[in-house]
């Protein structure tokens, strides 16, 4: 991961010359909630409706939890291997800066703390397609698709809202204070470790959680 000079200005670093493209690099967390809370709710409701027909709902909590775990793993892998990819040339460096480097260069800018729909929407379609082909097709368990997808979307919401909160909300005690400190350590001390945002689980599994000194 490149080390970027911190810019604490309230004026956003401009990423595109085009005002149209630049507009889509800024997003409010409210927008994320407006888009994705109904999606998570719809697929969970759909799962319940499908279970009512089959008279068996015991799989729904298990499928939902699996979806949460799938997102948690994806969050870690994307952050570590995509957002912190080590560029090998100037073109790759520019791309990584667009994806994530700008956040490390200007970590407190409120409008670049959550994932823009131009990224989250294709990612959601990819997840659904994978669940449909693997869970519905390969494992012949189509009823699991909706609750698993709801779990993934819920996990994503937890991730984005946690990320925003760690940068802009005061957290004085408990788990959230620990998460805030953990993420700030990623920014200021260990940019090549502590990749988990909503949970340190995979940092523990893959040994990217350094011991505090």
């Amino acid at each position: 991961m490149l080390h970027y000079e911190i810019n604490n200005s309230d004026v956003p670093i401009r990423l595109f010359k085009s005002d149209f493209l630049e507009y889509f690099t800024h997003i409010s967390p409210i927008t994320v909630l407006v888009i994705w809370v109904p999606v998570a709710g719809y697929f969970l409701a759909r799962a319940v409706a499908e279970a009512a027909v089959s008279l068996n709902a015991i799989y729904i909590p298990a499928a939902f939890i699996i979806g949460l775990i799938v997102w948690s793993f994806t969050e870690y892998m994307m952050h570590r291997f995509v957002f912190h990819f080590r560029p090998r040339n100037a073109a790759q460096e520019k791309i990584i800066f667009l994806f994530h480097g700008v956040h490390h260069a200007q970590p407190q800018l409120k409008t670049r703390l959550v994932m823009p729909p131009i990224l989250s929407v294709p990612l959601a379609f990819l997840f659904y397609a994978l669940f449909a082909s693997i869970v519905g097709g390969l494992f012949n368990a189509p009823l699991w698709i909706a609750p698993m997808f709801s779990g993934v979307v819920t996990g994503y919401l937890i991730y984005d809202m946690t990320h925003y909160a760690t940068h802009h909300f005061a957290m004085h005690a408990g788990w959230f204070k620990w998460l805030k400190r953990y993420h700030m350590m990623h920014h200021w001390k260990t940019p090549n470790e502590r990749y988990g945002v909503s949970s340190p689980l995979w940092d523990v599994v893959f040994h990217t959680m350094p011991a505090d000194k």
Side-chain angles (χ1 to χ4, degrees):
M1 173 69 185
L2 295 175
H3 291 271
Y4 298 103
E5 182 179 349
I6 303 299
N7 182 337
N8 290 317
S9 171
D10 291 333
V11 179
I13 296 171
R14 192 172 181 91
L15 298 179
F16 295 101
K17 293 180 179 179
S18 166
D19 290 339
F20 177 76
L21 292 177
E22 186 70 13
Y23 174 81
F24 290 101
T25 70
H26 299 276
I27 181 173
S28 163
I30 300 299
T31 303
V32 172
L33 293 173
V34 168
I35 293 173
W36 294 110
V37 167
V39 172
Y42 166 77
F43 279 95
L44 189 58
R46 176 173 150 182
V48 172
E50 291 173 342
V53 174
S54 65
L55 300 178
N56 178 19
I58 194 170
Y59 65 90
I60 292 179
F64 186 84
I65 291 171
I66 290 172
L68 288 174
I69 294 171
V70 167
W71 170 260
S72 176
F73 180 72
T74 302
E75 169 194 322
Y76 175 88
M77 298 300 285
M78 286 182 62
H79 194 184
R80 180 177 179 180
F81 295 108
V82 179
F83 296 159
H84 285 255
F85 175 78
R86 296 179 184 274
R88 297 179 177 86
N89 53 54
Q92 291 179 358
E93 185 177 338
K94 289 180 180 179
I95 293 171
I96 295 303
F97 188 81
L98 290 176
F99 268 100
H100 193 64
V102 66
H103 172 54
H104 276 263
Q106 207 167 30
Q108 296 305 108
L109 188 67
K110 291 183 178 181
T111 59
R112 285 186 176 141
L113 289 176
V114 292
M115 191 179 296
I118 197 170
L119 294 177
S120 60
V121 171
L123 192 60
F125 275 104
L126 176 62
F127 270 118
Y128 192 85
L130 287 173
F131 288 161
S133 61
I134 297 174
V135 179
L138 185 62
F139 291 102
N140 193 28
L143 294 180
W144 285 62
I145 297 173
M148 283 182 67
F149 187 68
S150 179
V152 164
V153 175
T154 301
Y156 159 68
L157 283 166
I158 293 170
Y159 155 75
D160 249 357
M161 295 305 107
T162 300
H163 189 224
Y164 187 88
T166 56
H167 281 273
H168 282 286
F169 292 161
M171 300 177 181
H172 300 295
W175 174 246
F176 290 105
K177 178 182 179 181
W178 189 91
L179 274 181
K180 180 180 179 74
R181 179 180 180 276
Y182 192 75
H183 188 59
M184 291 303 101
M185 290 287 284
H186 167 72
H187 273 277
W188 302 105
K189 297 292 185 180
T190 56
N192 297 316
E193 296 174 297
R194 294 183 170 95
Y195 296 106
V197 175
S198 60
S199 166
L201 170 63
W202 301 106
D203 282 311
V204 174
V205 172
F206 294 112
H207 306 292
T208 51
M209 181 181 181
D212 289 337
K213 298 181 180 178

Tab-separated table of all heavy atoms in Angstrom, residues 12 29 31 43-44 63 70 145 159 177 181 202:
chain	number	residue	atom	x	y	z
A	12	PRO	N	-12.772	18.636	-1.184
A	12	PRO	CA	-12.440	17.282	-1.659
A	12	PRO	C	-11.349	17.280	-2.721
A	12	PRO	O	-11.270	18.189	-3.559
A	12	PRO	CB	-13.765	16.792	-2.251
A	12	PRO	CG	-14.821	17.664	-1.664
A	12	PRO	CD	-14.169	18.994	-1.433
A	29	PRO	N	-24.277	8.671	3.545
A	29	PRO	CA	-24.711	7.387	4.107
A	29	PRO	C	-26.224	7.223	4.083
A	29	PRO	O	-26.725	6.098	4.058
A	29	PRO	CB	-24.166	7.421	5.541
A	29	PRO	CG	-23.920	8.854	5.838
A	29	PRO	CD	-23.536	9.481	4.533
A	31	THR	N	-28.101	7.940	1.607
A	31	THR	CA	-28.388	7.343	0.298
A	31	THR	C	-28.208	5.831	0.340
A	31	THR	O	-29.017	5.079	-0.216
A	31	THR	CB	-27.465	7.947	-0.773
A	31	THR	OG1	-27.615	9.358	-0.795
A	31	THR	CG2	-27.785	7.382	-2.154
A	43	PHE	N	-35.837	-9.053	0.465
A	43	PHE	CA	-35.407	-10.438	0.291
A	43	PHE	C	-35.630	-11.270	1.546
A	43	PHE	O	-35.885	-12.476	1.455
A	43	PHE	CB	-33.948	-10.482	-0.166
A	43	PHE	CG	-33.786	-10.235	-1.639
A	43	PHE	CD1	-33.509	-8.972	-2.112
A	43	PHE	CD2	-33.957	-11.266	-2.541
A	43	PHE	CE1	-33.381	-8.737	-3.478
A	43	PHE	CE2	-33.834	-11.048	-3.909
A	43	PHE	CZ	-33.552	-9.777	-4.382
A	44	LEU	N	-35.575	-10.637	2.717
A	44	LEU	CA	-35.895	-11.384	3.937
A	44	LEU	C	-37.388	-11.686	3.985
A	44	LEU	O	-37.784	-12.811	4.351
A	44	LEU	CB	-35.473	-10.574	5.164
A	44	LEU	CG	-35.546	-11.315	6.504
A	44	LEU	CD1	-34.680	-12.568	6.485
A	44	LEU	CD2	-35.113	-10.394	7.643
A	63	ALA	N	-29.276	-19.415	6.829
A	63	ALA	CA	-28.915	-18.822	5.544
A	63	ALA	C	-28.547	-17.347	5.707
A	63	ALA	O	-27.593	-16.864	5.085
A	63	ALA	CB	-30.073	-18.971	4.557
A	70	VAL	N	-20.394	-14.404	4.614
A	70	VAL	CA	-19.893	-14.218	3.246
A	70	VAL	C	-19.507	-12.764	3.022
A	70	VAL	O	-18.455	-12.465	2.453
A	70	VAL	CB	-20.943	-14.664	2.209
A	70	VAL	CG1	-20.558	-14.189	0.813
A	70	VAL	CG2	-21.091	-16.178	2.220
A	145	ILE	N	-31.492	-18.823	-1.304
A	145	ILE	CA	-30.924	-17.675	-2.014
A	145	ILE	C	-31.359	-16.354	-1.391
A	145	ILE	O	-30.520	-15.485	-1.091
A	145	ILE	CB	-31.306	-17.705	-3.508
A	145	ILE	CG1	-30.724	-18.944	-4.173
A	145	ILE	CG2	-30.826	-16.435	-4.206
A	145	ILE	CD1	-31.197	-19.140	-5.607
A	159	TYR	N	-21.176	-2.810	7.486
A	159	TYR	CA	-19.824	-2.373	7.128
A	159	TYR	C	-19.773	-0.893	6.798
A	159	TYR	O	-18.956	-0.144	7.350
A	159	TYR	CB	-19.334	-3.207	5.944
A	159	TYR	CG	-18.278	-2.526	5.102
A	159	TYR	CD1	-16.964	-2.403	5.544
A	159	TYR	CD2	-18.599	-2.005	3.843
A	159	TYR	CE1	-15.990	-1.776	4.767
A	159	TYR	CE2	-17.642	-1.379	3.059
A	159	TYR	CZ	-16.345	-1.260	3.528
A	159	TYR	OH	-15.397	-0.635	2.759
A	177	LYS	N	-16.178	1.716	20.574
A	177	LYS	CA	-14.946	2.457	20.842
A	177	LYS	C	-13.746	1.642	20.380
A	177	LYS	O	-12.800	2.188	19.786
A	177	LYS	CB	-14.835	2.771	22.335
A	177	LYS	CG	-13.551	3.509	22.694
A	177	LYS	CD	-13.433	3.759	24.195
A	177	LYS	CE	-12.127	4.470	24.524
A	177	LYS	NZ	-11.973	4.711	25.974
A	181	ARG	N	-11.021	2.690	17.383
A	181	ARG	CA	-9.576	2.706	17.592
A	181	ARG	C	-8.890	1.751	16.618
A	181	ARG	O	-7.832	2.071	16.049
A	181	ARG	CB	-9.253	2.317	19.036
A	181	ARG	CG	-7.759	2.273	19.341
A	181	ARG	CD	-7.498	1.890	20.796
A	181	ARG	NE	-6.067	1.847	21.077
A	181	ARG	CZ	-5.297	0.787	20.829
A	181	ARG	NH1	-5.820	-0.302	20.309
A	181	ARG	NH2	-4.001	0.824	21.106
A	202	TRP	N	-11.394	-11.774	10.393
A	202	TRP	CA	-10.507	-12.322	9.364
A	202	TRP	C	-9.075	-11.841	9.548
A	202	TRP	O	-8.140	-12.499	9.074
A	202	TRP	CB	-11.050	-11.995	7.981
A	202	TRP	CG	-12.429	-12.550	7.804
A	202	TRP	CD1	-13.613	-11.858	7.793
A	202	TRP	CD2	-12.787	-13.932	7.686
A	202	TRP	NE1	-14.677	-12.717	7.660
A	202	TRP	CE2	-14.205	-13.991	7.588
A	202	TRP	CE3	-12.052	-15.114	7.630
A	202	TRP	CZ2	-14.883	-15.196	7.449
A	202	TRP	CZ3	-12.732	-16.322	7.498
A	202	TRP	CH2	-14.126	-16.359	7.403
